[in-house]
Amino acid sequence: MKLTIFATTDVHGAIYPFNYFKGEKKETGLLKFKYYIENYKKNHPDEIVLTVDNGDLLQGDVWSEYDSVHRDAPLLPAIINDMYDVIGLGNHEFNFGLPFLSDFYKQVNIPVLNSNVDFLHGDLGNLIKKSMIKTIDTKFGPLKIGFLSVVPTQIMKWDKFNLTGRVKVSPMPEAVTKTAEDLKRQGADLIILLSHSGMSAKEDDQVALGENQAMRMALVTSIDGIVLGHTHDLFPHESMMIDDERLNMDEGTFNEVPMVQPGVSASHLGVLKFDLDEDKRLKSASGQLISGESIEDSDDYLLNYEHDHEQVLSYLEETVGYTREALQTYFARVIPSRAVQIVSEAVVWFAEGLEAVKKENLPILGFNSAIKTGRDGVKDFTDIPVGKLTVADTIDLYKHANTTVIIKINGKVLKEWLEWSASSFNQVGASSLIKSNHSRDGFPGYNFDTFFDLDYTFDLSQPARYHSSAHQISDARRLVEVKYKGIEVKDDEEFLVPANNYKVAYAPFLRDAEIVYESSKSIRDILNDFIKREKDFIDKQPMTLIPEGEYQFVTATKGKYHLENLPINHVRDHGDGLSTFQVTL
């Protein structure tokens, strides 16, 4: 018997092969995989073919935004029902809140799984199963394939405001071991783990509450195949720089367990292959990836989804305002960006109109981080030309479904926050000014915050104080000074900060901050309102880096078209969409 399991993960709403930000066709999209899998089934009638998703399917791109706004008639459930045999949860599934998940999954008629989250209220406990066994009739008798799914316990940190008191989360290894044993007792011949957790050899990922534990879960004896996710990596792929003799890149296995991690935004399709004998014993197994760009699509096939595509387009093309300057994030991790500042200005404007804020009579500090700064490739940047701004542009500027939480902090906490941002830079002497944009072993742009209402200086001759996770790694300090309206900030001085629910729950030094106001309104809705009212602002340059000098860094080559009036020069084109640039500080 031959069993093929096609797998997707971290699709993040990339459904139709079209770049809605640029208004042009693109080479990747979930519907291309759907077409490929349907043809594969026709051409391989003797194989057992299943399709699974490993989470972060619902959030991220414009189809996700459409569905969140049109929650009574979302577009994605019909595709899920027609394409998949089973799907698991990712951490971003929780971003829109549990009521949205409940409404959405009521329209999904295939099994939805999660094995380590208990839903304490509502109907999600019935809609989302702990595990399942799919029984397939074969000429050798029934083949029983068990499925289970886990998500990092850190969802309680990342989505604290949506989940506290509403769910209980168990450690992933504990849930995998217990659930796999249950599936074995129920007669499963094979067990497939949907692990919304990446591959990491780091010590802090090997403990019970580690975030990326796929390697640890591959040691559970009853697991026969794993779909990885969460970190947006590729496996098997030469980019997976882990030195472990148990890794076999040729076979796509770890500890002889076949594994696949098919990237992000439908960039790749994962394939788990199993060859079994007549007694349903495993003879061989492997994991491999298929690049989405290598898959041919069909215009005739896409016509089946043309109406959905047109609905999304119509929603996105609504004009919300105009910009007199280009908005781009190619250099947002090096120097302050107007594309980042506009979100900061919007949430400050929103906060200033609230009675709860007015009563506090405290200074309001706006900040923001650039979300699209190349973490997911050379096209993962904001690049909006001068002219009208549409709904699509506001998603481009702030793609996450975060809500606003206004907190009160003192100067001491503020300084730690700034030290966290300062830690995104390498120490003087490194080949690059900025650390890798990778979430697993670098410092992604979404954790680098710029405070636009302050003036502050970082000394990069000092070591970093924080890891990207906001955990302290040294006693060093890079923050030389920080001023508000020209006056040095004191440790006991109080400020209000319009933040987002992710940031407040994520950083350890912010979790005990007093919450002055919590809004259910998304930051993107606030940004839309701000732009519609044509609120203008002055570009600010709050950050100074020392020592002075010339520093190099890498970003997308297209950044060279935005160098006017910037202290940045293009140095070398790498030929892969990336270039080395030099900034003079």
Side-chain angles (χ1 to χ4, degrees):
M1 290 183 289
K2 292 188 181 297
L3 168 66
T4 297
I5 298 180
F6 290 107
T8 60
T9 193
D10 298 275
V11 172
H12 285 294
I15 311 300
Y16 197 88
F18 188 83
N19 187 326
Y20 291 91
F21 303 120
K22 303 299 181 186
E24 60 190 26
K25 186 177 178 180
K26 66 176 184 179
E27 297 301 316
T28 56
L30 185 68
L31 291 175
K32 289 185 67 174
F33 294 160
K34 188 173 184 294
Y35 175 66
Y36 176 88
I37 293 167
E38 289 175 8
N39 282 329
Y40 187 93
K41 289 179 178 179
K42 293 175 185 176
N43 296 327
H44 299 80
D46 296 331
E47 288 188 31
I48 302 165
V49 180
L50 303 175
T51 307
V52 302
D53 181 75
N54 187 37
D56 282 7
L57 175 61
L58 312 187
Q59 175 273 348
D61 210 323
V62 293
W63 277 55
S64 304
E65 174 66 13
Y66 180 93
D67 279 0
S68 72
V69 174
H70 302 82
R71 57 194 300 168
D72 294 331
L75 303 175
L76 190 52
I79 295 172
I80 291 174
N81 294 336
D82 195 38
M83 178 175 179
Y84 292 104
D85 294 281
V86 57
I87 62 174
L89 298 187
N91 58 290
H92 282 290
E93 257 70 55
F94 297 100
N95 289 172
F96 295 113
L98 298 185
F100 169 81
L101 268 191
S102 178
D103 291 345
F104 188 94
Y105 286 138
K106 284 175 183 175
Q107 301 173 70
V108 172
N109 57 30
I110 60 143
V112 183
L113 304 183
N114 180 270
S115 309
N116 72 319
V117 178
D118 291 315
F119 296 91
L120 305 180
H121 310 288
D123 50 15
L124 281 171
N126 296 320
L127 294 170
I128 300 171
K129 306 300 182 184
K130 290 291 184 183
S131 63
M132 68 162 287
I133 290 181
K134 187 172 183 66
T135 302
I136 300 168
D137 293 327
T138 78
K139 61 183 178 181
F140 301 114
L143 175 66
K144 295 184 176 182
I145 306 172
F147 291 93
L148 67 158
S149 162
V150 289
V151 69
T153 57
Q154 283 79 4
I155 60 170
M156 296 303 297
K157 177 172 65 173
W158 301 325
D159 266 300
K160 170 184 175 182
F161 295 95
N162 287 328
L163 301 181
T164 300
R166 298 178 178 92
V167 305
K168 180 181 177 182
V169 186
S170 303
M172 290 185 288
E174 174 187 310
V176 169
T177 301
K178 179 182 181 301
T179 309
E181 289 173 353
D182 291 343
L183 288 169
K184 275 296 182 187
R185 282 194 292 268
Q186 295 171 44
D189 298 303
L190 288 176
I191 297 179
I192 307 300
L193 168 63
L194 305 180
S195 163
H196 197 81
S197 178
M199 186 181 293
S200 170
K202 293 169 57 178
E203 287 186 16
D204 56 0
D205 280 320
Q206 307 311 313
V207 299
L209 299 179
E211 182 177 339
N212 293 299
Q213 298 195 308
M215 293 170 68
R216 178 171 175 172
M217 289 183 279
L219 303 179
V220 178
T221 54
S222 51
I223 298 297
D224 298 294
I226 302 179
V227 183
L228 321 182
H230 185 51
T231 55
H232 299 184
D233 289 321
L234 297 172
F235 183 84
H237 196 265
E238 64 271 9
S239 63
M240 184 62 69
M241 303 297 289
I242 295 178
D243 184 17
D244 193 305
E245 61 183 11
R246 294 169 294 181
L247 275 175
N248 186 329
M249 289 294 184
D250 294 331
E251 295 296 325
T253 62
F254 176 80
N255 195 41
E256 299 184 346
V257 177
M259 306 168 75
V260 287
Q261 185 171 4
V264 62
S265 299
S267 65
H268 291 74
L269 179 64
V271 189
L272 292 172
K273 291 276 190 180
F274 300 91
D275 192 2
L276 302 100
D277 64 19
E278 61 269 21
D279 294 318
K280 291 168 283 188
R281 289 191 298 258
L282 193 60
K283 294 166 62 178
S284 65
S286 63
Q288 65 186 74
L289 297 178
I290 303 173
S291 168
E293 294 184 355
S294 70
I295 295 176
E296 295 287 336
D297 60 9
S298 164
D299 290 338
D300 289 340
Y301 186 79
L302 290 178
L303 283 176
N304 297 319
Y305 301 94
E306 187 69 17
H307 178 68
D308 292 350
H309 171 56
E310 292 294 337
Q311 284 184 275
V312 174
L313 274 177
S314 178
Y315 167 65
L316 296 173
E317 289 173 351
E318 176 190 342
T319 299
V320 295
Y322 298 86
T323 177
R324 290 187 289 274
E325 294 187 29
L327 302 172
Q328 52 82 18
T329 58
Y330 295 114
F331 313 116
R333 297 176 65 213
V334 174
I335 57 176
S337 160
R338 186 177 180 88
V340 178
Q341 186 182 343
I342 189 173
V343 180
S344 172
E345 300 289 340
V347 292
V348 169
W349 165 77
F350 173 75
E352 287 173 340
L354 298 172
E355 287 301 320
V357 171
K358 293 176 182 177
K359 289 178 181 177
E360 294 289 336
N361 194 29
L362 290 172
I364 302 172
L365 304 180
F367 81 93
N368 188 32
S369 56
I371 298 170
K372 297 180 67 174
T373 53
R375 179 193 177 205
D376 296 327
V378 297
K379 297 181 180 179
D380 183 37
F381 291 88
T382 295
D383 191 346
I384 301 170
V386 172
K388 71 175 183 179
L389 291 172
T390 64
V391 171
D393 292 324
T394 61
I395 297 171
D396 201 1
L397 288 165
Y398 199 90
K399 72 177 183 178
H400 289 313
N402 295 329
T403 54
T404 307
V405 181
I406 299 175
I407 58 175
K408 183 191 295 185
I409 63 172
N410 60 28
K412 184 177 180 180
V413 171
L414 175 63
K415 291 172 184 178
E416 292 303 316
W417 197 338
L418 288 167
E419 285 285 0
W420 182 27
S421 288
S423 300
S424 68
F425 297 99
N426 280 314
Q427 195 170 1
V428 171
S431 59
S432 173
L433 173 64
I434 49 180
K435 293 179 180 175
S436 158
N437 204 6
H438 199 284
S439 57
R440 179 163 43 85
D441 52 15
F443 204 108
Y446 57 75
N447 281 339
F448 171 62
D449 296 321
T450 303
F451 279 80
F452 290 93
D453 299 300
L454 298 170
D455 291 291
Y456 49 92
T457 301
F458 296 148
D459 181 359
L460 303 188
S461 69
Q462 300 300 311
R465 182 174 175 83
Y466 283 97
H467 185 270
S468 173
S469 63
H471 290 92
Q472 188 174 337
I473 57 175
S474 82
D475 292 326
R477 290 196 177 275
R478 288 179 166 178
L479 183 64
V480 176
E481 64 174 8
V482 53
K483 294 181 178 180
Y484 175 71
K485 293 188 174 180
I487 300 174
E488 188 75 24
V489 172
K490 299 181 177 63
D491 283 355
D492 59 354
E493 194 172 353
E494 290 187 320
F495 299 91
L496 297 182
V497 181
N500 59 69
N501 58 331
Y502 159 79
K503 193 73 67 172
V504 174
Y506 187 88
F509 45 79
L510 294 180
R511 291 177 200 158
D512 295 326
E514 179 184 344
I515 296 174
V516 173
Y517 183 88
E518 182 179 353
S519 173
S520 61
K521 193 167 187 175
S522 75
I523 288 177
R524 192 157 57 241
D525 286 342
I526 292 171
L527 178 60
N528 279 337
D529 291 344
F530 179 79
I531 294 171
K532 286 178 180 177
R533 284 162 176 74
E534 298 183 355
K535 309 293 289 185
D536 207 356
F537 61 90
I538 299 171
D539 292 330
K540 300 173 183 176
Q541 301 295 324
M543 182 180 68
T544 300
L545 300 177
I546 58 173
E548 295 180 353
E550 295 177 340
Y551 295 84
Q552 294 192 347
F553 62 98
V554 174
T555 187
T557 302
K558 287 187 176 180
K560 68 182 183 181
Y561 302 112
H562 296 276
L563 297 178
E564 187 176 358
N565 298 323
L566 295 180
I568 296 175
N569 295 312
H570 181 254
V571 176
R572 183 177 68 258
D573 191 328
H574 298 184
D576 58 358
L578 295 172
S579 284
T580 296
F581 290 80
Q582 183 169 281
V583 59
T584 302
L585 302 176

